[in-house]
Amino acid sequence: SEVISDDRNKKFDDEMFSLIKQIAQKEKITNREARQREEVKEALVGMYIKRNNNPNGNGSGLVNGDPSLEKYILSKEISFDDVSSILIASDGLEIQGKLISDSKFRDYLYNTFNNEGLKKIIKDKKDSEDKDPDWKHIRYKHSDDATAIFLNFHA
């Protein structure tokens, strides 16, 4: 399996997660508590402004009617000759501690979609967050959405 899109949010998330971690360590609080600090909230607003549909093309796209979104539309041609399935998903499908760049995690997604469906992946995602109440795996919030389209050509 392979990932054919890029994670344009990663550099922005990494900066925010670093700030949250620094505050947590400095204040001797959890990452979850640090996320609620006013300086993090203000930094998030600045990050959204800098990231979402930035006209310079160095951000990421947000479907909201902004004409700059055009710079962020991914267009790629792939051959379907050896493709058995395609997964298109939002970042809401991420499971804490797992990376889409890890082929074993992609195998889990493939097998789970085929055998148990999207509801199982969403359950595993929520369970991964529930088992991490202090946000060792830094994030912005507890999940509130997950979107996926899974096409299986050889079921």
Side-chain angles (χ1 to χ4, degrees):
S1 65
E2 69 178 300
V3 177
I4 63 168
S5 64
D6 57 349
D7 184 352
R8 300 196 66 143
N9 289 327
K10 183 175 178 7
K11 66 181 176 184
F12 298 100
D13 288 342
D14 286 349
E15 284 179 25
M16 291 304 306
F17 295 160
S18 177
L19 174 63
I20 291 169
K21 186 176 182 177
Q22 287 172 9
I23 292 170
Q25 289 174 341
K26 179 181 171 190
E27 302 291 328
K28 297 185 180 3
I29 58 177
T30 66
N31 291 325
R32 185 177 188 164
E33 292 168 320
R35 164 58 184 91
Q36 298 308 314
R37 294 294 171 103
E38 198 59 38
E39 62 194 282
V40 172
K41 292 177 182 179
E42 290 173 11
L44 269 171
V45 170
M47 183 265 293
Y48 291 144
I49 292 168
K50 188 167 78 171
R51 182 191 72 187
N52 295 342
N53 299 334
N54 190 320
N56 69 12
N58 293 324
S60 65
L62 178 67
V63 180
N64 65 357
D66 186 316
S68 295
L69 170 64
E70 184 178 323
K71 295 179 189 234
Y72 298 100
I73 295 173
L74 173 66
S75 175
K76 185 172 185 174
E77 290 185 27
I78 60 172
S79 169
F80 285 156
D81 290 344
D82 294 323
V83 174
S84 64
S85 61
I86 296 174
L87 171 64
I88 302 168
S90 69
D91 60 354
L93 199 67
E94 293 178 347
I95 294 177
Q96 298 305 302
K98 305 292 183 189
L99 298 172
I100 196 68
S101 58
D102 179 2
S103 63
K104 290 182 184 193
F105 178 55
R106 293 194 308 270
D107 288 346
Y108 153 83
L109 290 171
Y110 176 80
N111 291 324
T112 304
F113 267 113
N114 277 314
N115 298 317
E116 300 173 74
L118 177 60
K119 286 183 180 183
K120 170 65 170 146
I121 294 170
I122 292 171
K123 180 186 180 316
D124 289 352
K125 174 198 175 39
K126 289 183 178 186
D127 288 349
S128 76
E129 292 179 351
D130 291 343
K131 292 175 183 173
D132 183 23
D134 294 332
W135 295 7
K136 176 183 169 196
H137 297 284
I138 302 174
R139 55 192 182 269
Y140 298 121
K141 61 185 177 181
H142 204 71
S143 66
D144 61 357
D145 66 72
T147 305
I149 298 169
F150 180 71
L151 303 172
N152 188 350
F153 301 120
H154 303 288

